[in-house]
Amino acid sequence: MLDKKGIAKRIAQELRHNWYVNLGIGIPTLIANYIPEGIDVEFQSENGILGMGPFPLEGEEDADMINAGKQTITPMPGASIFDSATSFAMIRGKHIQLTVLGAMEVADNGDIANWKIPGRMVKGMGGAMDLVASADNIIVAMMHTNKRGESKLLKQCSLPLTGVKCVKKVVTNLAVLDITPEGFKLIERAPGVTVEEIKNATEGRLIVEGNIPEMKID
Amino acid sequence: MNKLVANVQEAVKDIESGMTLMLGGFGLCGIPENCIAALVKKGITNLTCISNNAGVDDFGLGLLLQKRQIKKMISSYVGENDEFERQMLSGELEVDLIPQGSLAARCQAGGSGVPAFFTPAGYGTEVAFGKEVRYFDGKPHILEHALSADFAIVKAWKGDRYGNLLFKGTARNFNPLMAMAGQITIAEVEELVEPGELDPNTIHTPGIFVQRIFQGEKYEKRIEQRTVRQRENS
């Protein structure tokens, strides 16, 4: 089974040279720590920076330089800064090659819910609805089950949707799954996890074809 | 052209209860601290505030929420604010949550003479309820209307008495868009400079969009999530 870092490491393997990438808050943010060697990517943060770099050294924090999670950051050489309308022009205009975000629920048709639990928690969608409505390549990074042990990979989302039929791939602590017209297709197992365990933790339609390889994670 | 006002009190003197305000900033980054403090002091109520976030419990728009001065918030993300969540879930506060890109575009449209536009964001979600849907290139889009406000209140790094503004780092965010959309736009700046000092090639907001400008005081510029990496021992 993977921890959150492991999920980030596995998704980092999906990065390709010269891609512009938007990483959501939480597990996705960790992906920036595991960029494969020889791959040059630029991270976009929707509050208005392209070329987001590492956190600042202690004492060098700048209140005017943050990411979408409101964390202090530094710009990389070659970074650019812009207003929110320009930022979402990049997002809606399909100039970003990969979007990774977290989710509360994903359905086997690619629907995603990640912004609201009616009557209990309402934080807002932030930029998530714009991102999922336009991006061609959306990966969800999340745990396979919730705190009560219930599957987060469902036939149908029970929570208010963020977007419809948009997620292409899900990477969890148990597995890598592609979203296909027939449902979740199991691509890889996390180290030490059996197909049976993945079946038990997946409520949505699951396709298992042939031998399912174990992920290779450093 | 002289848009200079003496101080924050003069800048906000005719903002009244029941008005609609746009306030720039993302989280606590690039928020008009001086004007927010002055609005708290003025004690006006029933405000509709259009702002990406609602501050934190004890800073930014959270200060206006604490005093129940806000009737309605139009935002994209309101986490990190317990009082906000409490007022919203109890029904004391009206809240219109809209996708961040749509919020930016609606402000920009409001100041640009574009009454409405179609966007894919929010299609198939509760954001789309009651909105016209049209297909372009086979893909569904929803109609979103421009936003406007009695006052837009923005915060810039530098500005001159013509109203020209320069923002610093990611404090730019919604500020230039909201500056375009106010019936009256108030800009508070960290540093007021003489006309000509700002290079015309680098001005972010041309002065035409700004009606009042003043140099703010005592910026706290609070950091919401201070995150650092350790220095390597040398």
Side-chain angles (χ1 to χ4, degrees):
Chain A
M1 199 185 301
L2 299 177
D3 58 6
K4 289 177 178 179
K5 279 183 184 172
I7 295 172
K9 280 183 186 175
R10 175 60 190 82
I11 296 175
Q13 296 172 11
E14 303 290 321
L15 298 172
R16 296 294 176 268
H17 193 55
N18 286 342
W19 272 8
Y20 293 107
V21 179
N22 181 292
L23 301 178
I25 297 165
I27 302 173
T29 306
L30 302 173
I31 295 167
N33 300 326
Y34 307 110
I35 306 167
E37 214 157 301
I39 297 244
D40 186 14
V41 295
E42 243 190 295
F43 293 112
Q44 197 247 22
S45 192
E46 63 264 27
N47 58 316
I49 179 169
L50 193 62
M52 182 174 40
F55 298 131
L57 291 169
E58 207 171 341
E60 293 177 6
E61 309 93 308
D62 178 357
D64 293 327
M65 192 58 74
I66 63 166
N67 64 17
K70 287 109 181 173
Q71 295 171 307
T72 42
I73 51 149
T74 58
M76 295 291 283
S80 56
I81 284 168
F82 33 83
D83 64 53
S84 302
T86 306
S87 179
F88 282 91
M90 295 174 188
I91 288 166
R92 264 189 256 101
K94 299 180 186 287
H95 303 281
I96 309 254
Q97 279 76 36
L98 174 65
T99 294
V100 187
L101 69 176
M104 299 174 189
E105 296 176 345
V106 176
D108 63 22
N109 67 347
D111 288 357
I112 175 172
N114 72 352
W115 72 284
K116 182 177 183 180
I117 303 173
R120 262 188 42 220
M121 186 285 287
V122 186
K123 292 196 183 297
M125 66 292 281
M129 282 194 186
D130 309 271
L131 281 157
V132 301
S134 301
D136 289 324
N137 190 9
I138 301 172
I139 301 180
V140 164
M142 66 176 190
M143 304 309 273
H144 212 100
T145 54
N146 65 22
K147 282 175 188 148
R148 292 185 302 279
E150 298 156 349
S151 181
K152 295 171 71 174
L153 290 88
L154 306 172
K155 289 189 181 76
Q156 200 174 8
C157 292
S158 64
L159 296 170
L161 295 181
T162 308
V164 293
K165 296 178 186 166
C166 51
V167 177
K168 296 294 183 300
K169 191 185 281 288
V170 183
V171 180
T172 74
N173 51 326
L174 303 184
V176 177
L177 308 106
D178 280 350
I179 304 231
T180 69
E182 289 76 40
F184 296 113
K185 184 173 184 194
L186 185 57
I187 304 296
E188 292 174 15
R189 297 172 291 115
V193 174
T194 66
V195 170
E196 208 52 36
E197 285 171 304
I198 295 164
K199 275 185 183 165
N200 290 338
T202 307
E203 194 246 11
R205 292 173 297 164
L206 181 70
I207 305 154
V208 183
E209 281 175 7
N211 273 334
I212 306 297
E214 194 168 278
M215 294 178 204
K216 291 186 179 68
I217 308 259
D218 300 331
Chain B
M1 294 282 169
N2 188 0
K3 284 136 180 210
L4 195 60
V5 293
N7 50 41
V8 65
Q9 285 79 22
E10 196 184 329
V12 304
K13 63 176 190 285
D14 45 358
I15 301 184
E16 296 167 5
S17 292
M19 282 186 165
T20 296
L21 312 178
M22 285 183 182
L23 298 113
F26 186 100
L28 301 178
C29 182
I31 60 171
E33 294 181 21
N34 281 241
C35 284
I36 292 171
L39 291 173
V40 172
K41 217 168 157 188
K42 244 169 113 72
I44 50 172
T45 56
N46 280 313
L47 298 171
T48 295
C49 292
I50 304 170
S51 181
N52 188 55
N53 313 89
V56 294
D57 281 309
D58 62 345
F59 201 57
L61 288 183
L63 297 171
L64 284 167
L65 283 166
Q66 265 183 13
K67 296 250 171 104
R68 310 280 204 283
Q69 290 174 269
I70 302 178
K71 177 187 70 173
K72 180 177 182 180
M73 280 295 313
I74 300 175
S75 303
S76 89
Y77 187 83
V78 293
E80 281 80 62
N81 191 323
D82 294 338
E83 177 60 14
F84 183 101
E85 201 158 348
R86 193 196 64 71
Q87 287 186 26
M88 174 165 56
L89 292 173
S90 71
E92 290 167 60
L93 180 71
E94 274 178 68
V95 180
D96 190 4
L97 287 169
I98 55 183
Q100 196 176 123
S102 298
L103 178 62
R106 289 174 72 181
C107 293
Q108 188 176 43
S112 310
V114 174
F117 57 88
F118 283 95
T119 176
Y123 173 78
T125 75
E126 59 186 60
V127 165
F129 287 171
K131 289 175 183 165
E132 184 184 341
V133 175
R134 268 177 72 179
Y135 283 73
F136 297 92
D137 293 328
K139 210 183 146 174
H141 295 73
I142 61 173
L143 184 68
E144 291 282 11
H145 285 84
L147 288 169
S148 59
D150 297 305
F151 285 86
I153 306 175
V154 303
K155 190 261 168 177
W157 177 35
K158 293 180 181 180
D160 62 29
R161 65 171 184 268
Y162 281 71
N164 295 309
L165 303 179
L166 196 64
F167 302 92
K168 183 165 157 276
T170 56
R172 193 181 324 178
N173 55 64
F174 284 84
N175 281 299
L177 312 165
M178 291 181 169
M180 297 166 80
Q183 294 291 326
I184 295 174
T185 291
I186 301 169
E188 56 172 88
V189 299
E190 285 180 58
E191 195 183 333
L192 193 70
V193 300
E194 284 301 311
E197 278 187 49
L198 298 177
D199 178 351
N201 289 297
T202 63
I203 286 169
H204 294 134
T205 291
I208 193 168
F209 294 119
V210 175
Q211 281 68 47
R212 298 175 191 171
I213 188 166
F214 69 97
Q215 182 166 304
E217 293 177 341
K218 297 178 187 152
Y219 281 101
E220 180 180 337
K221 300 210 317 182
R222 196 186 292 185
I223 293 174
E224 215 168 318
Q225 304 283 345
R226 186 178 300 275
T227 316
V228 296
R229 74 197 136 100
Q230 294 304 312
R231 284 172 193 280
E232 284 166 37
N233 294 324
S234 54

